[in-house]
Amino acid sequence: MSGTNKPIGYWLKHLHNLIEEQFDATLGDLGLDRRQWQILNVLASAARSRGEIEQALAPFWPDGVPHFGAILDGPDGLVTWGWVADDGDALTLTEQGRAAHRWAAERVGETRRLLLHGLSPEQYAETVRILSVMADNVETALASRAGEQD
């Protein structure tokens, strides 16, 4: 089976795994992984509650429920490192966290450019649109099936 004859599921899973591996290579020497980057990036724009961060990042977690304990409060956690402050109501980036976010953002930008190399902005937008339509189709079908079973 040639590359273009492989089903979309293959390419989605393969690309996902490659993106995870590339993030490890991109951020590893900073001591960050993709999930830590995502939290830093969410907090870069504004303070957020744990619940808000969980909601924003749920699609990236296999079971849809982020488990932040170790990522924030563990020995290698963002709060433990002093990059994120937790006042009990909201999480915010500290000055160290803002600096780490800037360093990581530069590298993530390089990874995004690498990922999109050879694609026009229009091709990227169309790819995202197509994937969105496909996801909506499956969500609608699943909701319909769930409604039939009730």
Side-chain angles (χ1 to χ4, degrees):
M1 192 181 269
S2 75
T4 57
N5 289 336
K6 291 183 180 176
I8 193 166
Y10 167 85
W11 289 113
L12 291 172
K13 188 66 174 174
H14 183 61
L15 180 58
H16 170 79
N17 291 338
L18 288 171
I19 290 170
E20 290 288 336
E21 188 176 338
Q22 182 63 37
F23 263 88
D24 288 345
T26 299
L27 300 174
D29 66 324
L30 296 176
L32 288 173
D33 64 24
R34 188 174 185 194
R35 302 303 169 246
Q36 289 169 315
W37 155 251
Q38 289 171 326
I39 292 170
L40 289 176
N41 200 43
V42 167
L43 292 175
S45 60
R48 308 263 187 220
S49 70
R50 286 181 186 244
E52 290 171 324
I53 295 171
E54 287 177 3
Q55 185 176 10
L57 299 181
F60 296 98
W61 291 72
D63 60 3
V65 180
H67 306 284
F68 291 130
I71 295 172
L72 289 170
D73 305 309
D76 290 324
L78 299 173
V79 172
T80 307
W81 288 347
W83 292 3
V84 172
D86 182 357
D87 70 6
D89 292 324
L91 298 167
T92 57
L93 290 183
T94 65
E95 285 306 312
Q96 291 171 312
R98 290 200 178 286
H101 177 264
R102 282 191 300 274
W103 302 323
E106 279 185 37
R107 293 190 182 186
V108 169
E110 292 169 12
T111 292
R112 287 184 179 141
R113 286 186 291 281
L114 179 142
L115 179 67
L116 299 177
H117 178 76
L119 296 175
S120 70
E122 296 79 16
Q123 288 171 316
Y124 174 75
E126 182 63 4
T127 300
V128 171
R129 187 194 71 75
I130 289 167
L131 291 172
S132 173
V133 169
M134 294 172 105
D136 187 54
N137 290 343
V138 174
E139 287 173 347
T140 300
L142 289 171
S144 175
R145 178 171 286 182
E148 292 172 5
Q149 294 177 359
D150 289 339

